[in-house]
Amino acid sequence: MIGQAAGGGAMYQAMTSLGFAAESNFSGPPKLAGAKKGSSVLILGAGLAGMVAALELRNAGYKVTILEYNQRAGGRCWSIRGGDTFTELGGEVQHCGFAKGEYFNAGPWRIPYHHHAVLHYCRQFGVALEPFVQVNYNAWVHSSTAYGGKPQRYRHVQADFQGHVAELLGKATRQGSLDSVLTQEDKEKLLEGLRRWGALDAEFRYREGIATSALRGYEIDPGGGLMTPAKPSKPLELSELLQSRLWRAIAAGQAYEFQSTMFQPVGGMDMIAKAFAKQVGNLIRYQARVTRIEQNERGVTVTFADEARGGALQQEKADWCLCTIPLSILSQIDIQVGAEMQAAINAVPYGSSIKVGLQFKRRFWEEDEHIYGGITYTDLPISRISYPSTRYGASGPAVVLGAYVFEGPNSFEFGAMAPEERVRRAVEHGNQIHPQYADEFDNGVSVAWYRVPGNHGCYGKWTDALRDQHYKALCQVDGRIALAGEHVSHIPAWQEGAILSSLDAIRRLHARATA
Amino acid sequence: MIGQAAGGGAMYQAMTSLGFAAESNFSGPPKLAGAKKGSSVLILGAGLAGMVAALELRNAGYKVTILEYNQRAGGRCWSIRGGDTFTELGGEVQHCGFAKGEYFNAGPWRIPYHHHAVLHYCRQFGVALEPFVQVNYNAWVHSSTAYGGKPQRYRHVQADFQGHVAELLGKATRQGSLDSVLTQEDKEKLLEGLRRWGALDAEFRYREGIATSALRGYEIDPGGGLMTPAKPSKPLELSELLQSRLWRAIAAGQAYEFQSTMFQPVGGMDMIAKAFAKQVGNLIRYQARVTRIEQNERGVTVTFADEARGGALQQEKADWCLCTIPLSILSQIDIQVGAEMQAAINAVPYGSSIKVGLQFKRRFWEEDEHIYGGITYTDLPISRISYPSTRYGASGPAVVLGAYVFEGPNSFEFGAMAPEERVRRAVEHGNQIHPQYADEFDNGVSVAWYRVPGNHGCYGKWTDALRDQHYKALCQVDGRIALAGEHVSHIPAWQEGAILSSLDAIRRLHARATA
């Protein structure tokens, strides 16, 4: 009815208001009307949380200043390129030797389709996006303790796990084991579904043949003319597949956070940071190491060491303060907030992820193995190898994510190594999957987030218990101070969390400022 | 051992020779040495089969001429753009009104990662490729007879079908129904796998909650700060899901031919045709309608109507002939071949696919529904809607594949309509899934392959029985004539089939010519 009367656009609005497509907390940038003339906000940190706040608050009429510890904007939205130099805690210096145009995203590296705030600003700023290939059926899944350490194709594990599951459930269904929960009609439809989805034969078996090869691929592919006839491939046997636990890797791309279509900015994740900095870069004071955050009923005073001038202490004042400094750092700074917020600041541990970027002389994964983008999973400490989702088929060197040591003992072991040792180990491990590593490796860099000055960790590592106890306190506007960043969100470690947290905080800060 | 002695490159070569990664019939272009000086080949058809043959035969030293019916090269590798005009059998003329930069692939539209020959020539010619998004978890699956005709998100059907299957198999396994085929250890591992893969709870149930929402998405997504708390979504109920048969759509992206990573050329599929034409365009004689193909022990004579000069009959002679004319046309032409090949030429029916390209004023599927690329499946005659896998987030008009009527009664019904009626119907059907269609539709074109002059059909529609009877005869070198094209391959309807067929045919033609 609505559709007929008012056309599709109105119809769609009506549908969305019925909950049809309104899952997001983001429905556009905040409308911050009525800022008091001359009122000011001091923002600590020029990551995405800080810069989006600066943008929206300045647009609302506030006088905005950002203090940033680093010499660059973006925070963890950081891409490393040839010619870049960086120093980690402990003093180790790395000089990146990547070829022109190559990069490595040390922090976030992909954007889900439902991270609407990130996508909104990309669109607003004209940041070009390209698909990030998460699932590649021709990439490897690898266990050092299964199949003699020989990596298996994702498509084999995917098709065979699904096929064996379908065969087992078909068997149970046909022998009547599920009659208490399935009607006769359900059983018929289920069997029809299992046969197709699981590539089962007429007797509901998952067996070597054209049907299973049409999912898992062939021993010899079909060809043209009188070329060698197609030869079906042989499925992995059920028991060995189950024992290998390789099926763990096939669920990754089904998760809401990793489902297609994912994106990456063309040219590196920091294209987003650069786009924000183009808007608010003139508000940023770099190399400002905050040492004290004070407030009273009239305003906020932040003391910082001006590292560009030998660390001389200076002060900046404003009516309000949005602090996006990671809790791993903020817990070491004097900040004048209530006991509950202070307890929250002190309570949250940080992730210890480590990433290694490796440049190889050529795209052997494409040329030799027909792997275009996507991720290989392994139980080795490097945990995964992610191939570039860009410039497919290009000649010359290319950079892969050669290790993403995600939490746990491996990350502490890798974190204790010198950077060049981490790179060496990533090459050594990867060589078990790609024997070309030894010949083709060119140079690499590594970022251990616990050792990054200004971060001391990768992301706020909440548990359910910690959230119950501290999250609400962390989110309050404490006098004239509010906190923002991925650590003040339910989407930790993601840029969307940082931006949504910031938009929520400035909305409430603005409400208080205009009350 | 090999790895240690000779480095990774040699190791990889050894692995591939052990069958590790050697599934393809393509290992590079053919090496055609020793062509007789001055010998000539006449090629009929400047599609990909004809042009790749021209390229390789010319490089081998043959004098090559191509006769082409159309005024353009590429054959079914055909992209339609604004300003293009084309006439179908029956005389209906369409003028395409797409915006600058927009296009619609009337024929092939995607390239699997294992179509090595197509990818080889793309790389050789520098044809830029970008990912073709086949599976989009946020696209729709739609049945006009299920869920009140309301489309469902792919991710809901995918997660819920898998989850219910996991729950059912978990139940059967735990109650001992599969003890005859599973060891105790297998059972434990299987249950561990089902719980994770199917997002089951501690009691092996697939239920509304955070675990299932982490796969299927939330009713309200997690946010930042104090935004509305995340709310889990409610899974589709098993029986209704089975009856809907919507699970049929979720297997599509798992097929070997449609698995990620798929590609499309940047700017339209015919970038491949144009790249070939850049190499061999000077060998092509356009608007040459072949009417007779004769041979004797000395050579081949082809008679053709020169449509650029009022249809005057002319002749072209050569030592050898490679004929890539579709069998739907060739069966209507006098060709001097043996009875078995003639029977094969006459035997193969052709597919009747119809495609409709629709331009809309804006990317409402992205802006309103967060669908970036990928395919929506429906049981309506249009069968699917494919969103552009390029220029994500762009402003202005964009073209979708609005119908791919693939075989069957619907294709005959659509084929009988005037082109503008096909477009109107595609809009009408699509509007049931996207209510924005009515407001946002701009203009469209349609290609009914049965009505395309020079094709009279989409692709050679082999059955197993037909192959047993005729395929081998079709592949022979008959005197001085060989056939090539997707119809002379085991990969019908794909460009890879056309190219491999052609490479195989010229290899054997060359062997005979140099014998």
Side-chain angles (χ1 to χ4, degrees), chain A residues 8 12 23 135 162 175 177 186 192 214-215 221 225-226 239 245 254 256 259-261 369 372 435 471 488 504, chain B residues 8 12 23 135 162 175 177 192 214-215 221 225-226 239 245 254 256 259-261 369 372 435 471 488 504:
Chain A
Y12 198 79
E23 301 100 342
V135 174
Q162 186 165 309
Q175 73 193 17
S177 306
D186 288 346
E192 181 196 353
L215 290 183
D221 282 348
L226 297 177
S239 186
R245 302 177 82 236
Q254 298 180 334
Y256 188 48
Q259 292 169 355
S260 55
T261 307
E369 299 170 71
Y372 302 93
Y471 183 74
V488 197
D504 180 65
Chain B
Y12 198 78
E23 302 99 342
V135 174
Q162 185 164 310
Q175 74 193 17
S177 306
E192 181 197 352
L215 290 183
D221 282 349
L226 298 177
S239 186
R245 300 177 82 234
Q254 297 180 335
Y256 187 49
Q259 292 168 357
S260 56
T261 307
E369 299 170 70
Y372 301 93
Y471 183 74
V488 198
D504 180 64

Side-chain angles (χ1 to χ4, degrees), chain B residues 186-206:
Chain B
D186 288 346
K187 279 172 68 171
E188 283 162 17
K189 284 286 188 300
L190 176 61
L191 288 169
E192 181 197 352
L194 292 174
R195 179 178 283 158
R196 177 146 169 181
W197 175 78
L200 307 183
D201 67 12
E203 282 77 46
F204 291 90
R205 294 174 310 188
Y206 184 74

